[in-house]
Structures are given as structure tokens and as C-alpha cells.
Amino acid sequence: MNDIDAIAALQDPVRRRLYEYVVAQGREVGRNEAAEATGVARTLAAHHLDRLAEAGLLDTGSRRLTGRSGPGAGRPAKVYTRSRDERIVSLPARDYRTAAELLAEAAEHAGLDAGLCAAARRRGEALRGSAAPCGGLDEAMEMLAARGYEPHLEDAGDAEAAEGASGAAAPVVRMRNCPFHAVAERFPPLVCGMNLALLEGLLGTDGPVRARMDARPGECCVVLESSKNNGD
């Protein structure tokens, strides 16, 4: 299925609601959960979820949703997650990714990391304009959601595990999507550094929100936290 057909699969409003729900969870979602969350019958949800999988927009798997294993644990259920494949439609055809990869390759070979980060920081500041630095994590999440980063607060259990036994973990905002994913995969130090500088310029470095690097598989390499939690 080509990109136009795949994106056209989202035209149905029920199918789109199901897709958006699965994407927003950042984990595997079963048919019952998706149906209940979107207010449709399970059979209808299953039909649309499978259509999304056929279009390449969702990946499928199977696991027991009861959390148990062994006899009596029940049969594995079909689950869905967002596909890592990108779908792009441009009319007429354009190939900006190749241009971005060539520019990134040239910048990396020429050692232009510092210059690229400086330009990215200036671009972030220009996007912010005359506005004051971001006022807090809620405002930062709203700004980054509008730019496609899909921010979310880190799960409390994961945060406490990372913090250890020293005390309660401070809230951390992670992003499920990197808008520069394709190029970042090929040139991670260069592009991730650029992304960090861009967000520093956009959010401001002298406000209550701090951006820092903390890469995790499948997520943006930058996280946000309150600067007051870092002795700033």
C-alpha cells in the first residue's frame, strides 16, 4: 500500500479515533481497551484496527493481557502499537529527506556541530519571538505537542526506579516522537545536539524549564524537567 492510500485510511472518523488513541498510549493496546476508550463496539474496533494494520499504520502482536502466565492464564490477545514506518505525501513529489541527510553528512564531516547548534538555538529563539521563557512543564508540553513531539509525563514507577531509593523523583517530560527521526537515526550526535539547541532556544534557558539529553530507544533524545530540581 502506498503512502497516499495509507493516509487515506485515516479518513474514517472512527478509524482515526482508534489510531489516535493507540498512538497516545505509547504501548501495546488491546481491542477491548481501544473499543471502550473510543466508545465503539469491540467487533467494529477490531475491524478498523486491522484495517490500520493492513495500511501499515499500526504494528500487531499478541500477548496475555491478564498479566498471568501458565495454565488458566487465557489465550494471548491481539495488540496494536504505532508503526515506526513514516508516511509522507508531497504533491508534486519532493525529497527533502535526502537533502537533509546530505547536509547532515557534510556538516558532520566538516566538524560543524557547534555552528549547527548555534543556528538551531537562534531558530528556536526566533520561533519564540518576544515571548518570555516557557513558564513551566505544562506550557512546555503544550508548545511541543503543537510541534509534533508528542510529550508526556514519565511514568511515576519508571521515574522512581531511575531516581533510586534517595527520594521521590522529580517530574520529567519525555517525547514519544522525534520530528527529525529519519536523519537522527543516521547522524545521532549531530542531529540530537541540534534538537537540544533548538528546544533550548524555543523554551529559553533562563526560565523554570530545563532541556537535557537522555536518549531512550523509540523516543526523542531530549527530555524536559523543572530547572529548580537541578539546583538552578
Side-chain angles (χ1 to χ4, degrees), residues 167-190:
V172 172
V173 173
R174 295 187 177 273
M175 275 83 79
R176 292 196 176 100
N177 182 51
C178 171
F180 317 110
H181 173 72
V183 187
E185 276 196 318
R186 290 196 57 190
F187 308 96
L190 181 77

Side-chain angles (χ1 to χ4, degrees), residues 4-212:
I4 293 178
D5 290 336
I7 293 173
L10 294 172
Q11 183 176 2
D12 183 282
V14 174
R15 196 172 301 157
R16 182 160 185 169
R17 288 206 312 273
L18 287 162
Y19 175 77
E20 289 174 345
Y21 178 78
V22 172
V23 167
Q25 305 318 300
R27 56 173 171 78
E28 294 175 328
V29 174
R31 290 170 166 175
N32 286 342
E33 177 187 348
E36 183 176 350
T38 55
V40 300
R42 183 187 183 282
T43 52
L44 181 61
H47 166 73
H48 284 304
L49 289 167
D50 285 339
R51 287 291 303 274
L52 290 167
E54 291 169 7
L57 297 171
L58 296 179
D59 290 335
T60 62
S62 63
R63 66 178 177 88
R64 290 187 174 93
L65 300 178
T66 61
R68 303 193 305 270
S69 59
R75 296 175 56 188
K78 194 169 187 178
V79 292
Y80 304 82
T81 56
R82 176 170 55 186
S83 171
R84 299 305 298 175
D85 294 337
E86 294 184 9
R87 300 290 183 173
I88 300 173
V89 174
S90 177
L91 299 173
R94 298 287 188 262
D95 190 5
Y96 299 112
R97 179 185 297 178
T98 296
E101 290 177 349
L102 289 171
L103 290 168
E105 182 177 357
E108 187 172 76
H109 287 175
L112 299 178
D113 304 54
L116 177 61
C117 287
R121 191 170 289 105
R122 289 194 300 270
R123 173 58 64 90
E125 292 169 349
L127 291 171
R128 177 159 53 94
S130 59
C134 184
L137 290 179
D138 288 343
E139 182 181 339
M141 291 177 69
E142 185 176 346
M143 291 173 62
L144 297 186
R147 304 195 67 81
Y149 281 88
E150 298 181 9
H152 66 100
L153 280 174
E154 183 177 49
D155 180 75
D158 292 341
E160 289 173 4
E163 185 75 8
S166 59
V172 172
V173 173
R174 295 187 177 273
M175 275 83 79
R176 292 196 176 100
N177 182 51
C178 171
F180 317 110
H181 173 72
V183 187
E185 276 196 318
R186 290 196 57 190
F187 308 96
L190 181 77
V191 178
C192 291
M194 176 200 75
N195 189 25
L196 175 62
L198 177 70
L199 294 184
E200 287 176 339
L202 180 64
L203 302 173
T205 57
D206 53 351
V209 176
R210 171 179 178 255
R212 63 176 175 85

